[in-house]
Structure formats: C-alpha cells, structure tokens
Amino acid sequence: MAMKFSFIAFSIFSHVNSHVKDDFNCARIHLRYRGEYFLTTLKLFDKTYINGYHVLNEMGIFSKLSDWLKSIFGKRHVRIGIYGPPNAGKTTLANRIAQDWSGGIVGEVSEIPHETRKVQKKGGIIIKDGKASLRIDIVDTPGIATKVDFHEFMEYGLDEEEAKKRAKEATEGVIEAIKWLDNIDAVILLMDSTKNPFTQVNITILGNLEARELPVIIAANKIDLDGSTPATLKSAFPQHEVIPISALTGANIDLLYKAMLRKFRRK
Amino acid sequence: MTSVNFISQAKLEGLDSQEKLDFILKEVRKGQILVLEKGLTPEEQTKLIEMTMEKINEKFAGIEMESYVNEKPTLLEKIFGRKKVRLTIIGPADKIKTIYKDKDIIKAVIK
Ligand SMILES: Nc1nc2c(ncn2[C@@H]2O[C@H](COP(=O)(O)OP(=O)(O)O)[C@@H](O)[C@H]2O)c(=O)[nH]1
Ligand SMILES: [Mg+2]
C-alpha cells in the first residue's frame, strides 16, 4: 500500500499545479495507476467526487490523498450556499455574515427581485462560538423561480428594454443557482416568514437537498416585520431545523451562527 | 379556452425523465394545464425549472408548478431508493395562479 500510494502521490504531484480549479480548494487531477488513467475532481475535505472511469475509493487512498493535499494547501473550508426564492433576503444575510466575521460585503441588496443575477462568493470567513470555530465560504445565489415576467420589473420603474435585459439575466441566474448545488457542502435555505412557506420553490429546493443529503438549516427571515409567522414555517417543515431571524436587524443571528457551528462543522 | 389535462401515471411511465420533461414543457407552452397523477421528483422539478428558464421570452413568462411537501422517505422507500412523489400540477404562468396552498391542499384559479 505504501508503495502504491507514493506512486500515485508522485503522479498527482506533477499535475496538481496546473489543475487547481479556483480558490475553493478543488483540484481536477489525472491519476495513473497500474497503467490506467483516472480523472478525478478532489475536494479537499472528507468528501470526494469522482468523474472517472473507475472508483479508486475501495483502495482507501482518497482520505490519504485529501489529507496530503490539505497539508499542501493548509485549508479546511465548508462551502455554504444561501438559497431561496427572490427577495427572501439572501444577499442581506450574506452581507451580515461577512460583516460580522470578516468585514466587507458580498453583494448589492435591492427591493427589486432578481437583484443578484450571478453567484457571488466570499471565502475564508471564520465563525466562532467560544472554542468552536468554523471556516466557511459563503455562496450567495440568485433567487430560484419558476417564472420571470419582465413586466414585473417595469412596475419598479425600469424601462422596457432594461426590464427585458434583467429578465434574461434573471433566467440565467436561476440556472446558475441550480448548477451550483453540485458545488456546495451545506445550505442555508432562506424563506420570507411573512409569506406562505409551501411554495414550489421551497419544496423543490428542499427536495433536492434531501436527495443529495446535504445538511440544511432553514432560516425564517424578516421576523422584524408585522405579519411574520415563523411558527407556520416551523410546522411546515417539522423534520428540519428552523431558525427565525432578521437578516436586516440582526435579531437572532447568533442562534443561526450556533446552529451553523453545530450542523456544518466537519468531524 | 384553457384545457386541463389529467395525465395518468401509465402515460408518463413509458417515457424516460428527459422525454417526460420535454412532453410537459411542450404541452405547457401550448397553453395547456397538466395534472400529473404521479408527480415529478425533486431532481425532475429542478431540471424542468432549468428547461423553463431557457425558454422564457417576451411571450412565455414561465410556469406555475405546485406539488406537495415531500415527506421523509420511510425506511422501505430508502432501501428501495424510491420516494413517493405526490401529484403535481403544472401550467403556463399567465394561465394559472395558486391562491392557497398548505401541506395537503392546493387551490388554483385558471384564467
Ligand atoms: N424587514 C426586513 N427586510 C429585509 C430583511 N432581509 C432583507 N430584507 C429586504 O428584502 C429585500 C430583498 O433583500 P435581498 O437581500 O436583496 O434579497 P435576495 O433577493 O434574497 O438576495 C430588500 O429590500 C431588503 O432590505 C429582514 O430581515 N427584514
Ligand atoms: Mg440577492
């Protein structure tokens, strides 16, 4: 085993530099083992994705490999996607997390739906509670919707051309948000607690997270508003952890951080 | 006049996922409202949303889709990798609007 491992480690070493994908610790690596080639996308956590012809897993080398790569890059992140329908307050929450723990903002907030039309990331945020800490990358996603009507944007005062452009970008944003489900480790599903929780978007996102077995916390946002009913949301999704918050005022945000530490920390 | 088509489980079972979604989107873009006896899986729902987004333009604003909250799979369903998917209703966004929805009831109006 030691022999095999060093051989593979050597052949990885010659490829690693040219294949590191981005700042998020993902490496696409070609391995050669007993004359066969394997293409693998390694995430430098305990989770490993393989896009290859063969499964190397049974050889038990992935954990060694990822430990080894981890020691090279020295990082251990959990990538957290903030998902939800348009206007739930995703960017407001992403900004608050960034401001509370690292400074700076993630993106622009707006009352006009689909303000965020591209995925926005902020890496290297460390959340702490006493001795416990968690290093995260925040991924703020465009709102997911089943329809995008450009007329709606005109009601916010955009002219027709702008409204159509925004609608087009919004549809692309929805697709991008869905695709990003493949690239994240955990999700904060944000819902507007003044609205009916049983919407298709909420149900579809949750169903996907369950199917992928991704850890999820539901945040019932906007509890500062009259008409907010986080209890409805809790009873709608009894099998999930629901934390009522206000991303805008910061109310209860400490409860969300505690839940994130509890739920998203890797063992 | 808008027609509402009730699609049996048998009709869709003969199709693979992609064919099923192509069929649904084609019907919906023709202005039909579909009630599927056996609903779409979460993965199919997201795929349908992606396909819908690609088709949205000035004349087609997307779809309205409603299904029920997915119940946690039972142990048996887990073992056999099948989760019960309950009825799904899908229509063009400009023709159908959900007015009430909870765990067990969907109320929609057709314009
Ligand atoms: N009252 C209140 N408004 C909020 C809260 N969070 C976000 N908003 C508002 O909701 C609107 C949409 O916020 P945004 O973060 O852009 O939503 P996103 O589309 O989900 O990213 C903006 O007008 C925000 O100021 C909250 O906790 N309380
Ligand atoms: Mg946003």
Side-chain angles (χ1 to χ4, degrees), chain A residues 10 16 25 32 42 48 60 86 101 125 130 156 176 249 253 262:
Chain A
F10 177 76
V16 125
N25 285 352
R32 201 173 63 205
L42 262 194
T48 305
W101 301 103
I125 297 173
Y156 286 92
E176 199 194 0
T249 69
I253 203 81
R262 199 167 58 242

Side-chain angles (χ1 to χ4, degrees), chain A residues 84-93 95 108-116 140-143 190 192 221-225 245-250:
Chain A
N87 265 5
K90 296 177 294 300
T91 306
T92 308
L93 177 63
N95 287 344
E108 291 295 318
V109 167
S110 169
E111 55 165 7
I112 311 177
H114 299 285
E115 176 67 21
T116 312
D140 177 29
T141 65
L190 203 60
D192 183 334
N221 194 29
K222 309 199 183 183
I223 55 167
D224 57 292
L225 292 179
I245 62 161
S246 170
L248 189 67
T249 69

Side-chain angles (χ1 to χ4, degrees), chain A residues 201-238:
Chain A
V201 165
N202 289 346
I203 292 168
T204 298
I205 299 174
L206 253 179
N208 271 274
L209 303 179
E210 286 167 3
R212 290 161 190 258
E213 298 186 339
L214 282 172
V216 56
I217 296 170
I218 298 176
N221 194 29
K222 309 199 183 183
I223 55 167
D224 57 292
L225 292 179
D226 291 342
S228 154
T229 53
T232 312
L233 229 145
K234 281 193 178 181
S235 67
F237 307 106

Side-chain angles (χ1 to χ4, degrees), chain A residues 145-150 164 171 174-175 178-179 196 198 200 203-204 207-208 210-211 235-239, chain B residues 42-43 45-46 49-50 52-54 56 58 61-69 72 83 93 101-103:
Chain A
T146 59
K147 55 188 172 194
V148 179
D149 187 348
F150 74 93
K164 284 179 180 166
T171 62
V174 172
I175 294 172
I178 291 172
K179 296 244 183 289
N196 183 351
F198 295 98
Q200 189 60 46
I203 292 168
T204 298
N208 271 274
E210 286 167 3
S235 67
F237 307 106
Q239 69 276 40
Chain B
E43 291 89 344
Q45 291 167 17
T46 35
I49 292 176
E50 288 183 74
T52 301
M53 289 300 127
E54 279 164 9
I56 286 180
E58 284 149 41
I63 61 172
E64 181 93 2
M65 166 164 61
E66 294 296 352
S67 62
Y68 299 104
V69 180
K72 272 248 149 164
K83 214 166 161 183
K101 178 141 189 233
D102 68 23
K103 261 197 173 77

